[in-house]
Amino acid sequence: MNVFFRYFPALAGQFRPLPAIARQPATDLQHLDLPMSSPKLVFHALMFARPAGELVTELVPIGDASWPSIRVPEEALHQGWLQTWEDTIDRLSQLPRLYTEPDGSFVWASEGGRLAGVLYDRAGRMCYAELFGDCTPEVLDQFLTACGSPVQRFVFQLPQAGINLAEDDFRAFVTRIA
């Protein structure tokens, strides 16, 4: 008898055994033609509006690569997005299986992974979003579109790495470490 059922004997007869194919080791399943999924992006980031004009970058070595960190003045990080907090919440609420709270927190559990975070506003405009992601690039694309992309451009601050990246560099960075 399974150890689990020793503690929960009433459940012992309610579960069917797994089919033989599900009990095979993963190496025995390599012959199956399973679709390849998109690479996962795993990250914690702060998403700010990209300041207008030319931005200065400096290469920051992290691991065996160097990344073009954008130098963003502190006051520019809080310049506000093109859309309001209410518009952003409304657009995000249209995404299937995305749940929002009145305080700006949200969680999205989709087939492409999970994306959670908090939206922050200042003076009626979106100011920034804190994101925790374990999702496909397609999920991130849908989220960014709801936040105003491609008209609104963003800078992604990675707190653990201590760098600010443009969207393309952010995607490359989080794909590489995932």
Side-chain angles (χ1 to χ4, degrees), residues 43-47 106 115-118 129-133 140 143 156:
F43 58 89
H44 170 217
L46 302 174
M47 188 172 88
F106 67 90
L115 186 62
V118 183
E130 182 172 19
L131 305 174
F132 298 90
L140 182 61
F143 179 81
F156 295 85

Side-chain angles (χ1 to χ4, degrees), residues 32-54:
L32 296 177
D33 187 22
L34 300 174
M36 295 301 291
S37 61
S38 296
K40 286 283 187 146
L41 308 176
V42 179
F43 58 89
H44 170 217
L46 302 174
M47 188 172 88
F48 295 93
R50 183 182 174 112
E54 193 68 29

Side-chain angles (χ1 to χ4, degrees), residues 8-177:
F8 301 99
L11 299 176
Q14 297 183 18
F15 292 93
R16 292 176 295 184
L18 292 173
I21 190 148
R23 291 191 307 258
Q24 294 177 4
T27 55
D28 293 343
L29 297 176
Q30 290 176 353
H31 67 280
L32 296 177
D33 187 22
L34 300 174
M36 295 301 291
S37 61
S38 296
K40 286 283 187 146
L41 308 176
V42 179
F43 58 89
H44 170 217
L46 302 174
M47 188 172 88
F48 295 93
R50 183 182 174 112
E54 193 68 29
L55 299 176
V56 177
T57 62
E58 62 179 303
L59 288 177
V60 176
I62 298 176
D64 60 352
S66 291
W67 298 93
S69 181
I70 300 171
R71 288 177 152 181
V72 183
E74 185 69 28
E75 62 276 2
L77 284 177
H78 301 290
Q79 73 178 10
W81 297 6
L82 298 176
Q83 62 189 36
T84 65
W85 186 89
E86 289 80 10
D87 290 342
T88 304
I89 288 286
D90 287 344
R91 292 179 73 177
L92 288 173
S93 296
Q94 295 173 19
L95 295 172
R97 297 176 56 181
L98 189 139
Y99 179 75
T100 61
E101 285 283 340
D103 67 354
S105 59
F106 67 90
V107 62
W108 187 15
S110 72
E111 291 180 13
R114 292 180 313 252
L115 186 62
V118 183
L119 305 173
Y120 296 93
D121 66 329
R122 178 182 282 174
R125 312 256 348 128
M126 274 296 303
C127 186
Y128 70 98
E130 182 172 19
L131 305 174
F132 298 90
D134 181 2
C135 61
T136 61
E138 293 79 18
V139 167
L140 182 61
D141 290 342
Q142 291 176 49
F143 179 81
L144 293 178
T145 299
C147 290
S149 181
V151 174
Q152 175 69 66
R153 297 176 59 204
F154 297 102
V155 170
F156 295 85
Q157 185 180 80
L158 301 171
Q160 284 97 0
I163 57 176
N164 300 311
L165 298 173
E167 184 179 334
D168 291 342
D169 296 321
F170 167 72
R171 288 175 183 269
F173 184 89
V174 297
T175 300
R176 190 165 195 267
I177 63 169

